[in-house]
Amino acid sequence: MSDTMQSLDQLSSLKTAVAEGPKYEKKVDKQGRAYATGKRKDAVARVWIKPGSGKIVVNTRDVETYFARPVLRMLIQQPIVAAARQGQYDVVATVAGGGLSGQAGAVRHGISKALTNFEPDLRSVLKKGGFLTRDSRVVERKKYGKAKARRSFQFSKR
């Protein structure tokens, strides 16, 4: 501790080490695809993306036939639109478990993670949009002595 500061002017000459964030690398397989797993409620989606024309296939069916509701299709497109990559990537997803809403959320989460694996520079955009965060809300379990998780049986005075 012999190098103590005598004045404030010497403080400015002192260099502090700024810790840089982790560097993310591109992760692709031999076919040039990026893989990620997305989860939402009870649904789990395995998602592969590769450069292409923007075609999305879910469980070997076209996205328009698998997710008939436009809201669910819009939900799946959100990370691609936020990253401004419409029509640039083909998406192949296999989904299991849960209902259609949970499955759409799982595919959205998987697409977001796969995009960051393919293009690590997109991470800040997708993180800001909240697409990389796993929505941890799941159905609460049923308790004994209750009709559902919290609902009591109907009260009767007699």
Side-chain angles (χ1 to χ4, degrees):
M1 287 295 184
S2 62
D3 35 318
T4 56
M5 302 290 161
Q6 300 297 330
S7 68
L8 289 175
D9 297 330
Q10 292 176 327
L11 191 63
S12 64
S13 66
L14 188 67
K15 297 281 187 213
T16 58
V18 177
E20 290 187 23
K23 295 286 182 202
Y24 296 98
E25 297 176 4
K26 184 176 179 177
K27 294 179 193 153
V28 291
D29 61 7
K30 291 180 185 115
Q31 286 94 6
R33 304 174 303 181
Y35 169 79
T37 305
K39 295 180 180 181
R40 170 84 171 93
K41 292 189 178 180
D42 267 347
V44 179
R46 301 182 315 162
V47 179
W48 291 267
I49 64 163
K50 63 182 179 185
S53 60
K55 190 172 164 97
I56 300 176
V57 177
V58 180
N59 288 356
T60 67
R61 290 192 292 199
D62 199 45
V63 72
E64 280 80 22
T65 57
Y66 194 84
F67 294 112
R69 295 199 338 240
V71 174
L72 299 178
R73 290 198 301 269
M74 182 264 303
L75 195 76
I76 290 171
Q77 291 283 342
Q78 280 180 334
I80 299 168
V81 171
R85 299 290 188 270
Q86 297 98 312
Q88 294 184 20
Y89 290 109
D90 286 344
V91 178
V92 177
T94 58
V95 198
L100 283 178
S101 176
Q103 287 184 350
V107 172
R108 174 181 124 164
H109 186 228
I111 289 173
S112 306
K113 286 170 63 176
L115 275 172
T116 58
N117 287 342
F118 202 88
E119 287 187 61
D121 299 337
L122 295 176
R123 184 176 169 81
S124 61
V125 175
L126 295 171
K127 186 86 170 156
K128 219 169 271 171
F131 301 118
L132 295 177
T133 307
R134 200 285 204 204
D135 193 351
S136 60
R137 295 176 296 171
V138 292
V139 178
E140 190 176 347
R141 77 172 191 87
K142 184 195 175 300
K143 279 72 166 193
Y144 57 87
K146 296 279 186 180
K148 291 165 56 176
R150 297 184 182 207
R151 192 202 185 300
S152 299
F153 295 112
Q154 184 171 339
F155 175 75
S156 173
K157 202 167 199 177
R158 290 183 228 317

